Amino acid sequence: MRALLSLVVKDLRLLARDRGDLFFVLVWPLVVAIFFGLVFSPGRGPRGKIALAVVDEDKTAGSASFLDALGRQEGLALEAVSREQAVSLVRRAKKTAYVVLLPGFGEARERMFYGEPARIEVGADPSRSGEMAMLEGLLKAEAFKGMQALFTDREAAGRMVGKARGELRAAPAEQQKTTGRFLEELDRYLTATRANSAGSAGASAAAGGWNPVEIEMKSVAEQRAGPKNAFEITFPQGILWGILGCAASFGVGLVVERKQGTLLRLETAPLSRAQILAGRGLACMVAILLVEAFLTAIGVVVFHVRPSSLAHFAMAGVAAALGFSGLMMGLSVIGRTPQSVGGLCWALLLMMSMLGGGMMPLFAMPSWMISASHLSPVKWAILALEGGLWRGFSTAEMLLPCGILLAVGLAGLALGARLYPRP
Amino acid sequence: MLRLSNLEKRFGEVTAVDGLSLSVRQGEIFGLLGPNGAGKTTTVHMAMGLLAPDAGSVEIEGHGAPTTAAVRTKLGLAPQALAVYDGLTGEENVRFFASLYGLRGGRLRERVAWALDFVGLADRKADRAEAYSGGMKRRLNLAAAVVHDPELILLDEPTVGVDPQSRNLILDNIVSLRRDGRTIVYTTHYMEEAERLCDRVAILDRGRLLAEDTVMNLIAAHAGAPVLVTEIEGRELRVETPDPVGELSRLAAQGPVGRFYVERPSLEQVFLHLTGRQLRD
């Protein structure tokens, strides 16, 4: 087992130190995923904004001005729609969340320190907790800005106090007494300072226990019927390029070892042929898994790629790693020199990629090519990755592409073991 | 230590080794001498268990055939090719090969340090092999062959293409290994190396064993007598004689002798005598 580990570590170390291999294994796949992701992104706004569907059910000047101010927030991109459309957009993951200003919003915004606060309904998928926390903060910040405006706008504040005193007549006697005294004093203060435009800026303060806005969070489960963004299509393609890079690199590596004599040295060590083969296959598989993890992490962190099922996505990643590691063993014996193996390896892998959707998404292919793509393991690997990413495959649906990848891997392994080069 | 009995190996129509029988004794340096294509490397590969002979047998005395892991830990091979990884440092190369033989922990560190020091690469151990000269790579090749402390070491043309300094170092290393009780099979087509190093030599040609003995005995048996070359009255006189000193005394008694020297027969002449061809043909 330790010898096997030594073989794997040695191969990974050699891969990491070969700039040419590293380019094809890490850089090129990333370029493919990002470049085509940007190209295929339809009308994307500036990156990092939370896409919101907004619904104004209050339809007052107060609600309109709130939405207007919200629209000027750096981190938000708003689209006004009906409630049904808003829910549907969030459900289809076309928008991150919806925001509904409920009836009475504008009126509540003109009150301060008493009565019901302005109410907002926010709907989003529970998985978007990070974005929701940010959105909640932005909504509250905007609501408090409104309060600040009341303090600095003496006319508006005066109107608010007058209205409040009128409404207070319906309140219980005790509250009438205390609040009335406060409002009387406040009104006197505002009257005295109304003409004084050089007066100091209004203070911003809120009474304890009172909120200018009440946000009601609603859970709207996203139905992932399609990719949420173009990167969810291009990242599986990028991952595939990384896998192909690993397969080609390790495929050529075996014949390089034979040529330079290190394979002979391995054969003289107390290792079985199976151990030497297993070491190479395992190293290739580990390299593929690391590349998949790296590219997926970039996709998730930077490009908002979100696997709909982490378990299925991982299952696809492992199946692809097994399949292409086995395929690599088969490819490594198709020639006798590094040049011939390298050339044939890339030629075959590029053909598989072209046919299987590694260069052009399958949906963009003519029908005859889609039929032919069944012959390419690249197609099944992309399908499996997409199944865990945005196609929403069930476990049973994942079995077909994953099973085919395993079969390809076994066939390649059998071929490689049979034609394994002698020193 | 190593016994080869009636070994035969064919590659298609070509007979690489033809009925070869040899016995290498414990603690000696045994030379396999022959031109390119004589069957030296094929013999070494069969001795290592890398190739299965078509006929005959290989036995590592006391251990059996070199086909099991247990026997292979007793053997070390420095292949003719520079079988090291250019992308790894000298230390990583040696450590990797040592780890394949089950060395670990303190023993691994100790042996790796010893091997690098043994071949004079301790101060360059952190450099990648791709930065090494040809001679340094040859030495690294040797370090990787001996790091696991094998009893029988097979060195296949270990000085090909190296500078004189590295060659001398490698030859000194090999003598040092013999001093430590290791048995060495040394293939070469450099006769001067075989004469300098080997206790016994087997001369191969076209897969067949032509002769096997000590260097002195082979020369005595096949290379003829030494030649005394003298200059008498401005003329060069060459006399083949088993007793050059006696012959020189006789000539000096007859008259004044100018310059003189003795041409000592070499393995080259042995090979010429046995095959009718030069060794480097």
Side-chain angles (χ1 to χ4, degrees), chain A residues 256-309:
Chain A
V256 168
E257 288 231 31
R258 188 164 67 88
K259 272 286 166 200
Q260 71 187 13
T262 45
L263 184 61
L264 181 136
R265 187 155 242 158
L266 296 182
E267 293 259 348
T268 63
L271 297 172
S272 67
R273 193 172 152 188
Q275 275 178 305
I276 296 171
L277 276 171
R280 181 147 287 269
L282 196 58
C284 182
M285 192 181 144
V286 171
I288 289 176
L289 289 173
L290 289 174
V291 167
E292 288 174 345
F294 169 76
L295 293 170
T296 303
I298 299 268
V300 167
V301 173
V302 185
F303 297 99
H304 305 288
V305 173
R306 298 278 185 278
S308 62
S309 165

Side-chain angles (χ1 to χ4, degrees), chain A residues 28-42 44 47 229-238 241 303 353 357-361 363-364:
Chain A
W28 176 246
L30 210 50
V31 168
V32 168
I34 295 172
F35 177 75
F36 286 105
L38 291 172
V39 167
F40 290 130
S41 292
R44 298 178 78 254
R47 189 160 315 132
N229 58 44
F231 294 107
E232 292 199 342
I233 295 174
T234 59
F235 262 80
Q237 285 179 305
W241 278 104
F303 297 99
S353 177
M359 293 181 175
M360 183 198 306
F363 62 76

